[in-house]
Amino acid sequence: MGWPEMKPPSPSSTVERTTSGEIVSIPAKMNYVTPETKIITSKRSLTGTDAPLTGVEWAPTECRIHNARDARMSLHRNGFELRHHELNNADIDIFDQDEVIEKYYPECEKLLAEALVAKDGDADEKAFTVRAFDHNVRSTQSDSREMKNSSGGTVQTPVAVVHGDYTKISAPRRIQDMTLPPKQNDVMRGRLGGEDASLLDQDEVAEAVEGKRRYALINVWRNIRRSEPIFQYPLACVDAASINSADLRTFQIHYSDRIGENYFFAKGRGQHHWFYFPQMTFDEAMLIKQWDSHGGIAKGYDTDEEGVSTFAIHSSLLDPTASADVKRESIEVRCCAIWDA
């Protein structure tokens, strides 16, 4: 089965606004899977393109997406937050893989370290190991443009599926992989100073996986159109406090040399609380937690206990306040952070 498209909400659905015209919430159709869905599989090529899916049945569900700009969402509690972030290298060519890795990755690492320090006021940036290790550039202009200076990587389209990027199996496996030399489809291959070089220290990762230290996988998501905000196909996230592990469905991605896992989400009995940041600009970055070893679900509970989020599930959507012809271009950089709990 193919990937679902972003479809508009019911014509009878309304956009909620304040008396001054500001958006309170919008309706959107989100692509969940049915409760009967168990394990979904696909193959991914070296260019990042996915083959048709097997084992999936879609359950498009109309949801209410709330304006998060005044909601004070936090990475720690809700799983995502927005930060003002002007780039020191604002002229980076985002479609050039070399420039992104050499110039943009360090800025993402610094931004994330600052965000983690802000939560733990007694620490400083040196207390956190933060490494960017991968990225995707996305565009609604689905022309399969090949990234410059890459080994075949292409520009991807926005994902219109309710999902999380890692699972209880793939999250620890991913940071363990980063203690080894980069594999064939790894953007860091040939960039670490030697054939046997790795991005992360083996002992530090072992302590994190064993629970002696805390680790998190976090995306830095940005609009890359410098001249205009995102009007259409924004990214929305679910407040982690409204997630239940009973709704998780495993999506297995078969690469040439490994099997990765994401989570899709079933249309469950509970209600997910959806949020988005309207009209994100180039000078803003959204931090989206993909896995936190100290979250309740990561520890085996049904929900995130004690106010620590495990992840923020997310999806792109069709915004009824804008034309479907408006383009969106974005980049997400995947980062790993390790620190003392």
Side-chain angles (χ1 to χ4, degrees):
M1 181 176 290
W3 291 83
E5 297 178 352
M6 283 179 268
K7 295 183 178 180
S10 166
S12 62
S13 301
T14 59
V15 175
E16 292 184 291
R17 297 181 183 271
T18 65
T19 54
S20 60
E22 295 179 356
I23 291 175
V24 175
S25 70
I26 60 173
K29 192 159 286 187
M30 313 304 280
N31 288 310
Y32 287 86
V33 299
T34 62
E36 293 75 24
T37 298
K38 301 303 180 186
I39 295 179
I40 308 103
T41 62
S42 180
K43 293 181 180 180
R44 183 165 294 172
S45 70
L46 293 176
T47 66
T49 302
D50 289 334
L53 304 171
T54 60
V56 66
E57 184 177 349
W58 301 113
T61 303
E62 190 153 313
C63 301
R64 180 66 46 181
I65 319 297
H66 297 272
N67 185 342
R69 287 201 173 269
D70 295 322
R72 296 185 180 180
M73 311 308 287
S74 79
L75 188 67
H76 179 77
R77 181 182 66 256
N78 311 105
F80 63 99
E81 67 182 45
L82 187 70
R83 287 189 160 250
H84 183 78
H85 184 228
E86 295 183 20
L87 296 180
N88 293 321
N89 294 294
D91 60 343
I92 296 171
D93 182 355
I94 298 294
F95 296 94
D96 186 320
Q97 188 161 281
D98 282 347
E99 288 206 19
V100 170
I101 293 172
E102 293 168 10
K103 298 180 181 179
Y104 187 53
Y105 276 23
E107 297 215 38
C108 292
E109 291 169 349
K110 182 173 177 57
L111 171 66
L112 183 51
E114 290 173 349
L116 294 172
V117 168
K119 172 59 186 172
D120 187 348
D122 295 330
D124 59 36
E125 291 181 29
K126 294 180 181 179
F128 298 85
T129 296
V130 180
R131 296 288 183 270
F133 61 88
D134 195 11
H135 69 279
N136 274 329
V137 176
R138 300 189 187 275
S139 174
T140 51
Q141 181 181 335
S142 55
D143 53 8
S144 297
R145 282 173 287 175
E146 186 168 325
M147 297 288 291
K148 303 173 190 174
N149 297 310
S150 75
S151 56
T154 60
V155 178
Q156 306 292 306
T157 54
V159 178
V161 175
V162 180
H163 72 286
D165 288 5
Y166 294 97
T167 71
K168 63 181 180 181
I169 293 175
S170 66
R173 180 189 293 163
R174 189 66 184 94
I175 69 166
Q176 288 171 322
D177 284 346
M178 286 186 270
T179 68
L180 304 172
K183 296 182 179 180
Q184 187 176 4
N185 65 331
D186 196 319
V187 298
M188 303 307 293
R189 187 178 176 89
R191 300 175 186 271
L192 298 177
E195 291 185 2
D196 297 326
S198 63
L199 188 65
L200 294 177
D201 178 77
Q202 190 170 8
D203 292 337
E204 188 174 28
V205 168
E207 289 182 343
V209 173
E210 292 168 5
K212 298 176 183 177
R213 304 192 76 193
R214 181 176 175 179
Y215 72 90
L217 296 163
I218 299 168
N219 287 2
V220 179
W221 195 94
R222 180 187 297 273
N223 168 22
I224 59 174
R225 293 176 70 83
R226 293 166 172 81
S227 61
E228 61 186 46
I230 290 177
F231 290 109
Q232 186 54 281
Y233 309 105
L235 190 70
C237 295
V238 169
D239 181 355
S242 65
I243 297 172
N244 191 296
S245 64
D247 299 330
L248 306 180
R249 298 294 184 271
T250 301
F251 170 39
Q252 293 183 342
I253 310 156
H254 292 254
Y255 297 87
S256 61
D257 54 2
R258 65 184 175 91
I259 297 176
E261 288 189 354
N262 292 172
Y263 279 135
F264 286 178
F265 283 78
K267 181 183 176 182
R269 290 168 294 181
Q271 182 177 359
H272 288 151
H273 300 155
W274 282 95
F275 292 87
Y276 81 123
F277 296 100
Q279 300 185 21
M280 278 185 62
T281 70
F282 180 71
D283 289 332
E284 295 178 314
M286 180 162 43
L287 306 182
I288 311 169
K289 194 185 290 184
Q290 306 300 334
W291 195 263
D292 186 336
S293 62
H294 271 223
I297 291 176
K299 291 181 176 181
Y301 298 107
D302 291 338
T303 60
D304 282 328
E305 305 285 337
E306 300 175 355
V308 181
S309 59
T310 298
F311 48 63
I313 62 176
H314 50 285
S315 175
S316 297
L317 60 92
L318 189 63
D319 188 333
T321 68
S323 168
D325 296 329
V326 177
K327 288 198 301 184
R328 186 202 100 184
E329 292 183 328
S330 62
I331 184 172
E332 70 249 25
V333 172
R334 297 186 176 92
C335 300
C336 174
I338 301 174
W339 70 102
D340 290 333

